[in-house]
Structure formats: structure tokens, C-alpha cells
């Protein structure tokens, strides 16, 4: 009896060339899709926790920190550049239509 194969036969073939977009999605540990929100098309990338190690971000949905190593979502309008990327908690991104547009911050809270 031969050992069990963990990969499909085509996965490691030397003639296979991956697209640059596929490489980028794999590098960040997730997949990228496109969604419509507020009349715009948004690029949405799911980031695995391992690729977010050592970094913290502030979620625009809840105005709370996304700790290092936590899986989350990076979203930006498709027509804009890299500067418009925002890191969201997955739950906040999924609830973005149900949230208020005005975030209430304490008077002395830092603005990020």
C-alpha cells in the first residue's frame, strides 16, 4: 500500500506559473475579492493572523485596536491607491451597513 497523497497531482508541477495576484494573496495568507459598498467597488483581502504578527491596526468600524496576530480584513476602494487601505475586524466589515457612520470618541482620544 502506498502512502496517502496530501497534494493534488497538479499542485507541484514544474511547468505551472502562478499569477502575480495569486502570489500576493498567498503571501498575506488570504484571498482577495471585490464587493460593492456605498456605490463603489471595494477590493477586500482576508489576512491570516500569522501574516499580521507584530503589527497592530485600528479598525474604522469600531475604533478599537486589532491586536497582533489576529485574522482580519483589509479593504480599499478599487479606484484609489495603497494609501486608502483600511484594516477591519471581520465582524465589523460584515456589519458595516448596520453601523452608524459617526464614531463617538472621548474628547482626549488620539485620532488615527
Amino acid at each position: 500500500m502506498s502512502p496517502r497523497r496530501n497534494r493534488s497531482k497538479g499542485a507541484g508541477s514544474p511547468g505551472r506559473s502562478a499569477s502575480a495576484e495569486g502570489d500576493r494573496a498567498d503571501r498575506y495568507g488570504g484571498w482577495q475579492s471585490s464587493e460593492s459598498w456605498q456605490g463603489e467597488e471595494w477590493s477586500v483581502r482576508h489576512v491570516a493572523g500569522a501574516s499580521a504578527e507584530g503589527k497592530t491596526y485600528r479598525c474604522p468600524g469600531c475604533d478599537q485596536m486589532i491586536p497582533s496576530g489576529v485574522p482580519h480584513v483589509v479593504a480599499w476602494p478599487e479606484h484609489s491607491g495603497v494609501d486608502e487601505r483600511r484594516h477591519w475586524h471581520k465582524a465589523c466589515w460584515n456589519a458595516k451597513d448596520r453601523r452608524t457612520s459617526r464614531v463617538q470618541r472621548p474628547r482626549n482620544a488620539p485620532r488615527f
Side-chain angles (χ1 to χ4, degrees), residues 43-96:
S43 294
V44 180
R45 180 175 292 149
H46 297 263
V47 179
S51 61
E53 195 67 38
K55 303 172 190 171
T56 59
Y57 303 100
R58 183 167 297 272
C59 175
C62 65
D63 200 38
Q64 300 295 313
M65 297 303 290
I66 301 173
S68 172
V70 173
H72 60 278
V73 173
V74 179
W76 65 95
E78 285 188 351
H79 70 275
S80 65
V82 176
D83 295 335
E84 297 296 318
R85 288 186 301 188
R86 297 295 176 257
H87 296 255
W88 296 68
H89 292 106
K90 286 183 180 182
C92 294
W93 177 255
N94 292 336
K96 64 191 174 295

Side-chain angles (χ1 to χ4, degrees), residues 17-38:
S17 65
S19 69
E21 187 65 32
D23 289 344
R24 252 185 289 165
D26 290 343
R27 182 182 334 151
Y28 295 110
W31 66 94
Q32 186 168 333
S33 63
S34 181
E35 294 184 24
S36 181
W37 181 49
Q38 294 181 339

